[in-house]
Amino acid sequence: MFNDRPIQDIESGISHLGLQQDSSAQPWIPPWKDITQFLDEATQDMDEGQLIHLQSFTLFDAMTAIEVMDPRMDTGMILPENERIEFDIHQSLDPKQALWIMDRLLNCEMAWLSGHSLAQTVYTSIYFHHIPELLDQPPPTPPTATLAQTMQAVVKAYILTTVRCCRYIWTEMSSGNVYEEEDFTTNLFGLSLYEDIIMDMDVFNDLRCALRLLTDAMEKEANAEWAETLTALQERLTVREAFLKALMYLSQPRCSHIKQAETALKQILKLPLSGLGSGLPVPGAFDPNINRKLTTQAPPRPVTLPSDMDAYTEFIQLIQRLDNICNVTTYPSVASLMNYFAHFAGSKPYPDALSRSKLNSLFFADGHVFGRTPVHRFLIDSIMDISNPPPQWFQADQVDNEAPLMTMANANLRQFLDQQAALPFMDFFKVQCHNRARQRRLLCKVLNDWEMLQNEAHDIDLQFHDAEALNETPLYHLSQWVYMMKLTIMERILLLGFELELYGQHEFTTIYWYHWYVQSVLSNYHQHMHQQDDKDEYGQYNRALNGAKRDMSLGLFKLILAMEKSQQLKHQTLRFHNAKTQFMHRLKPFVHMTSPPFQPFEQFLQDTNTDHLTTDILLDSAVLDFANARDVLKQLLKAPDTTSRSELCYEANRKELLSMIRVCVANETVVLQLRKKEIQCKMEFKYHPWWATILTSN
Amino acid sequence: MGITEDANRVNTLRSYLNFKSRIEITDGRIFHGTFVCVDKQKNIILAQAEEYRQGKEMDDAFYPVMTSFSTDEKRLVGLIMIPGKHLVKVEVEDLDII
């Protein structure tokens, strides 16, 4: 019996319950000798702690053995609550039972998307292990179909659509945009997603058929109780169909079918599901211990399925995010897109892995942004946003023999854009599609790339300066852009540490101080370099915003210093603490940078020396800083979305500005109480994850 | 006499290392595997072990030589440790007959 598709059969064999051994291939087994008694006697002769083992068998090997009869490790143990009930997939179900299966399946799907393994979530449904039989189930003929037959067709259609959805989702998640095991488990553990036996066209046909049968049943069915359930089933089938369509369209290369995907997603959002949680449980339809049939002996992880309501809420949030993502594929400017990504990366609740992976895949593939814009064009648009160089810098196509310097500068710029700046710039966007903690780690890594880019940008700026032969000082358009990006990354690294709860409270002054330094560098640089162009509203907006952030950090720095000085803010006593070591460790990503020059520990000590200042002076100064910031932020709130380039994230941007204003106001007002020396205080991130609010603690 | 007998028993036990072994435990499951380690508490480690569990249909005749496990579930569990307190029956392949 020669098997020419061994892998496939193994997979399908495993998916079927119970691996049958072929009796004709039975090897000859020698007779067994009962040594139970002998073992008792022999082990009594052994010493305590003595092991009888093979030479090659080490203690390390012994450690990796799975202990049998330990419920946490032994996946085959028969626990009293796990009595296996045989489930017949062809059994007839009533509408409420069908509803329960669908809702339970959605819970499993959401659990899978949040990171649990497929075997312990979606594939706990027995139906998924009998897909070929399900496919062979004959479709009922519409006029004469009984309710039971209709339910069979409905459940079959739903299950098959879900399998296809899982296939699309799994393909997306395996494309390398998320961290394996951290964000998602791509390991299928031998399970099959049946990609070669289920075709999308057939699935859509089955869905259409099932929907028609449901409509017929609803007309025929006089029972009012069933009527609601049948409507609920119809909604679920429609939503499931739209979901499959959306996934299909979103997975097309180069964003070719985004419009169609958007239509399908909006359809889901317009159809809220009724009757959540009103289904009737079907015993045996889901077996949480089915993973013990699989090839791997990985001990099962504890999985709690979300409730019906929670799962549905998560699902709708996912659909909403995907809809937003479709919307931003037509972005008005690169700066707008950068703002969108920044808000997406930090939105609460944090985006799920599927949306993040999708945004990543759609954003950059095949040398193009969102399937349309070539990378160098995207870069040029960004540079124009920030530093507005003369357009002739970018004309790399025309070779002008009269101006060889210009031609060479153009060529070098083109090379810079295509080869050197392209990847770091794309990475900046892609980093924001990772989970929040990874974002900070990755930004620390990419910072070095921008350091190198700055040197090259500087060279090219000088080349253009020579080529244009103007006697003014060079304008450094390219360097401006690179420097701004670099400082943005530095700011993000510093402030994300607060959100990720990386800093001890005694380190807050260090971070706010360094952030204030970075923002000051940025403000000075702008003043130095930028031709104060009154028409550049976006530039003005940015400068004002950076100024406000600088003042907030400075205000907090002074406020915390004052409270530490007057002993009103107490930190935990640290025992093995060396301030300089911690300082250098905390600011490690910035130590070797040439620009901005690293501020050493000695400078920090100097700046935090408050011997010549009283607490009241510090408090007064802090209040001024917060008042300034607050005024500027209030002005910025009034700016239209085109000025702030927040067209794609208007609401989120407003919310952030408001929360920053709240931080300023709260800190200003608490100072009045803090002037009384006996009041103790504490720090909390009440309004904004990056700027602390001082509160009295009593 | 006593010490040499003890030494012989331990040595005999040592000679069973690397043999195929069949172990039945308290909840009725049977493990087939290569015997690699044992200690004083009779904790046994088997390598490349397979677990046999009896399915719903009970087999009438239970032949010791030809394993009629065709109705039971069998699965590969790999490297396992069976605590001594769960042992019911321990068998090892009898190569004296050859």
Side-chain angles (χ1 to χ4, degrees), chain A residues 18-21 26 28-36 38-54 57 61-62 64-69 74-78 84 86 292-295 297, chain B residues 6 9-10 12-14 16-18 20-22 25-27 29 31-32 36-42 44-45 51 53 56 64 67 70 73-77 79-81 83 86 88-94 96-97:
Chain A
L19 188 65
Q20 306 300 347
Q21 197 175 27
Q26 195 86 279
W28 180 73
I29 295 169
W32 299 106
K33 182 165 69 181
D34 191 333
I35 55 166
T36 320
F38 173 73
L39 189 68
D40 277 339
E41 294 163 11
T43 47
Q44 272 161 32
D45 297 340
M46 285 167 70
D47 301 324
E48 204 64 52
Q50 180 188 7
L51 288 178
I52 293 179
H53 64 92
L54 290 172
F57 189 72
D61 296 326
T64 60
I66 297 176
E67 185 176 326
V68 164
M69 294 300 269
D74 186 0
T75 51
M77 245 182 100
I78 310 169
R84 197 163 57 90
E86 287 297 334
R292 60 180 176 77
K293 308 273 180 195
L294 303 175
T295 46
Q297 292 319 303
Chain B
D6 296 348
R9 281 214 282 255
V10 171
T12 317
L13 192 54
R14 191 169 279 127
Y16 291 144
L17 288 175
N18 246 344
K20 284 243 176 327
S21 163
R22 193 174 91 182
I25 62 171
T26 48
D27 70 348
R29 286 183 289 166
F31 291 93
H32 272 204
V36 288
C37 188
V38 68
D39 73 355
K40 190 178 170 76
Q41 278 75 38
K42 297 193 280 177
I44 296 179
I45 299 190
E51 170 199 285
R53 173 212 290 258
K56 283 284 159 97
T67 52
S70 49
E73 289 163 32
K74 163 187 152 173
R75 63 181 193 129
L76 183 70
V77 286
L79 186 70
I80 58 166
M81 190 273 274
H86 291 298
V88 168
K89 182 161 74 169
V90 180
E91 290 166 314
V92 78
E93 56 183 346
D94 188 357
D96 302 332
I97 290 180

Side-chain angles (χ1 to χ4, degrees), chain A residues 419-436:
Chain A
Q419 288 167 14
Q420 285 139 346
L423 219 48
F425 196 54
M426 290 297 107
D427 275 345
F428 179 69
F429 286 86
K430 287 160 92 77
V431 160
Q432 296 180 80
C433 295
H434 281 285
N435 64 61
R436 207 62 165 146

Side-chain angles (χ1 to χ4, degrees), chain A residues 295-526:
Chain A
T295 46
T296 181
Q297 292 319 303
R301 306 223 180 107
V303 175
T304 35
L305 295 177
S307 70
D308 291 341
M309 208 55 226
D310 287 342
Y312 182 60
T313 315
E314 277 173 39
F315 179 67
I316 290 299
Q317 282 172 347
L318 164 68
I319 301 294
Q320 192 80 62
R321 276 180 212 119
L322 290 174
D323 185 42
N324 284 347
I325 292 172
C326 289
N327 200 20
V328 308
T329 55
T330 49
Y331 56 91
S333 71
V334 178
S336 316
L337 198 60
M338 272 211 263
N339 282 332
Y340 171 75
F341 268 75
H343 281 284
F344 178 83
S347 52
K348 301 270 181 42
Y350 289 121
D352 59 283
L354 180 60
S355 321
R356 288 191 280 109
S357 182
K358 250 311 161 214
L359 181 57
N360 203 333
S361 323
L362 292 174
F363 171 68
F364 182 57
D366 209 21
H368 286 73
V369 170
F370 288 132
R372 292 187 327 265
T373 319
V375 178
H376 75 270
R377 182 75 244 163
F378 191 68
L379 279 163
I380 293 172
D381 288 340
S382 179
I383 301 174
M384 299 292 273
D385 270 340
I386 306 295
S387 60
N388 208 9
Q392 55 263 33
W393 282 31
F394 301 109
Q395 285 161 354
D397 312 329
Q398 303 157 344
V399 176
D400 191 353
N401 286 321
E402 305 288 307
L405 285 177
M406 192 65 168
T407 312
M408 194 175 77
N410 277 333
N412 284 336
L413 177 57
R414 183 59 188 258
Q415 192 195 40
F416 173 77
L417 292 177
D418 280 336
Q419 288 167 14
Q420 285 139 346
L423 219 48
F425 196 54
M426 290 297 107
D427 275 345
F428 179 69
F429 286 86
K430 287 160 92 77
V431 160
Q432 296 180 80
C433 295
H434 281 285
N435 64 61
R436 207 62 165 146
R438 277 287 155 194
Q439 286 173 22
R440 188 175 185 276
R441 279 183 84 97
L442 292 169
L443 284 175
C444 289
K445 286 193 200 151
V446 304
L447 194 55
N448 285 328
D449 297 337
W450 289 90
E451 179 83 351
M452 293 194 296
L453 277 181
Q454 184 146 15
N455 293 335
E456 281 153 22
H458 187 86
D459 284 339
I460 297 182
D461 277 330
L462 287 177
Q463 281 178 26
F464 274 105
H465 181 247
D466 292 338
E468 283 168 348
L470 303 162
N471 277 327
E472 312 156 354
T473 49
L475 285 171
Y476 293 114
H477 292 284
L478 219 53
S479 307
Q480 264 185 60
W481 176 76
V482 175
Y483 204 32
M484 250 218 48
M485 286 299 298
K486 199 161 80 166
L487 291 169
T488 310
I489 294 175
M490 285 176 76
E491 176 185 51
R492 200 69 70 83
I493 292 174
L494 285 166
L495 294 177
L496 266 184
F498 287 116
E499 186 172 337
L500 297 167
E501 297 180 26
L502 292 176
Y503 308 131
Q505 290 214 336
H506 60 285
E507 292 182 274
F508 281 17
T509 42
T510 314
I511 306 298
Y512 284 125
W513 172 75
Y514 215 84
H515 179 241
W516 163 74
Y517 168 63
V518 169
Q519 285 297 355
S520 308
V521 166
L522 192 56
S523 303
N524 289 344
Y525 190 73
H526 273 306

Side-chain angles (χ1 to χ4, degrees), chain A residues 343-344 347 646 648-658:
Chain A
H343 281 284
F344 178 83
S347 52
S646 59
L648 303 172
C649 55
Y650 188 61
E651 275 312 310
N653 197 44
R654 264 188 77 84
K655 263 199 194 146
E656 180 161 22
L657 288 175
L658 279 170

